[in-house]
């Protein structure tokens, strides 16, 4: 039995390493033919996350530094992108600042929250299984590489692109980012205040009266804004930069975001008349007017 356990563990680790190698090959294959510097950004993203996993997360079976590490990875990768830019433009500067502001705000917010709560339910099962835990950290590396991909492209491609001045598309992108960022900040703040006063109850006020996950809607919107501005320099293979909002939307709506939270909410409040009414009337993601009038309970 012990032998089988070791074998199973070895296979799990092998699968995790294989995933990392596959992701690296894919990333290198995508960028090596047109922007070699992006390979360095990918290596940095993987290196930072693997180091924290190997030195802290795995040995102590803790997820407390997961989101903070993600924020630090954004900052390091963005700093490298700026430092290695052949000709930093106003577009690149503004977009880089947007990434830094967003990363600082979200990572500190999530780190403060987990220090207060003590746990992150997403990792309850996998943090005791090294192979699966490693996959989560490598997915974060992929997340921190792909989401700001448009910004990295703008910075590294600026020297060869003729459209260095800001255009209308940029301003639309900046506005979307600002709106999305504001929605995410307000939604997080509202939920924090609610939880302090209504521990154990689901929130249905403020922005949460118009969307069950307004913070995720804001995050998706802000990355669409970043991509829209970045697309001012996209051409040919550079259009791979649109992977950013696609990946964000996919992960938040189909993988680690909404599905996990909806499952937890259903388990906790499912069957309660007020919760079922709220779930039926309020959009899961998009902010909009509720369907029909709220029933009184």
């Amino acid at each position: 039995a012990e032998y089988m356990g070791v074998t199973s563990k070895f296979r799990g680790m092998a699968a995790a390493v294989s995933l990392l190698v596959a992701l690296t090959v894919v990333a290198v294959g995508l960028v090596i033919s047109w922007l070699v510097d992006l390979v360095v950004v990918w290596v940095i993203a993987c290196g930072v996350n693997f180091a924290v996993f190997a030195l802290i997360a795995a040995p102590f079976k803790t997820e407390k530094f997961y989101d903070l590490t993600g924020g630090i990875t954004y900052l390091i990768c963005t700093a490298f992108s700026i430092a290695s830019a052949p000709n930093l433009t106003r577009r690149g500067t503004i977009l880089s600042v947007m990434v830094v502001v967003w990363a600082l705000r979200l990572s500190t917010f999530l780190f403060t929250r987990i220090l207060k709560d003590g746990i992150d339910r997403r990792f309850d099962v996998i943090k005791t299984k090294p192979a699966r835990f490693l996959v989560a950290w490598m997915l974060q590396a992929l997340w921190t590489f792909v989401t700001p991909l448009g910004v990295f492209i703008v910075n590294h491609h600026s020297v060869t692109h003729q459209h260095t001045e800001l255009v209308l598309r940029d301003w639309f992108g900046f506005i979307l980012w600002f709106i999305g960022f504001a929605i995410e900040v307000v939604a997080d703040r509202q939920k924090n205040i609610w939880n302090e006063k209504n521990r154990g109850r689901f929130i249905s006020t403020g922005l949460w009266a118009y969307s069950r996950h307004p913070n995720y809607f804001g995050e998706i919107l802000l990355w669409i804004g970043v991509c829209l501005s970045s697309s001012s320099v996209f051409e040919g293979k550079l259009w791979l930069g649109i992977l950013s909002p696609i990946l964000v939307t996919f992960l938040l709506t189909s993988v680690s975001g909404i599905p996990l939270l909806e499952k937890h909410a259903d388990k906790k409040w499912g069957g309660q008349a007020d919760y079922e009414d709220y779930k039926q009337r309020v959009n899961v993601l998009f902010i909009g007017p509720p369907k029909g009038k709220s029933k009184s309970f």
Side-chain angles (χ1 to χ4, degrees), residues 185-198:
V185 171
V186 171
D188 285 340
R189 179 60 179 164
Q190 289 176 340
K191 192 169 186 178
N192 251 7
I193 295 174
W194 173 271
N195 286 338
E196 290 174 0
K197 299 179 179 179
N198 303 274

Side-chain angles (χ1 to χ4, degrees), residues 71-220:
I72 292 173
T73 306
Y74 276 109
L75 298 180
I76 294 175
C77 290
T78 303
F80 172 81
S81 177
I82 293 173
S84 59
N87 178 33
L88 191 62
T89 62
R90 287 179 62 195
R91 177 184 295 111
T93 300
I94 294 173
L95 290 173
S96 297
V97 169
M98 287 177 172
V99 172
V100 169
V101 169
W102 172 83
L104 281 173
R105 202 289 304 183
L106 185 61
S107 60
T108 53
F109 168 76
L110 294 175
F111 184 57
T112 302
R113 187 178 68 180
I114 195 171
L115 287 180
K116 182 179 179 180
D117 296 343
I119 60 170
D120 186 332
R121 288 187 300 271
R122 296 175 299 174
F123 301 95
D124 283 349
V125 176
I126 67 174
K127 66 183 178 182
T128 59
K129 301 178 180 180
R132 293 179 61 185
F133 202 20
L134 175 59
V135 170
W137 284 82
M138 290 301 98
L139 284 176
Q140 176 164 257
L142 180 66
W143 171 274
T144 55
F145 172 73
V146 175
T147 48
L149 184 57
V151 181
F152 300 153
I153 289 175
V154 168
N155 289 340
H156 291 281
H157 194 57
S158 58
V159 72
T160 61
H161 201 281
Q162 57 180 337
H163 302 301
T164 57
E165 295 300 318
L166 297 179
V167 296
L168 188 60
R169 189 190 309 181
D170 291 296
W171 293 107
F172 277 128
F174 299 158
I175 291 173
L176 284 180
W177 179 89
F178 180 80
I179 295 174
F181 182 75
I183 290 173
E184 186 175 40
V185 171
V186 171
D188 285 340
R189 179 60 179 164
Q190 289 176 340
K191 192 169 186 178
N192 251 7
I193 295 174
W194 173 271
N195 286 338
E196 290 174 0
K197 299 179 179 179
N198 303 274
R199 179 64 64 177
R201 295 175 57 195
F202 68 92
I203 181 172
S204 58
T205 60
L207 291 175
W208 301 82
Y210 305 97
S211 168
R212 303 208 297 273
H213 302 280
N215 53 336
Y216 288 159
F217 176 76
E219 183 161 342
I220 291 171

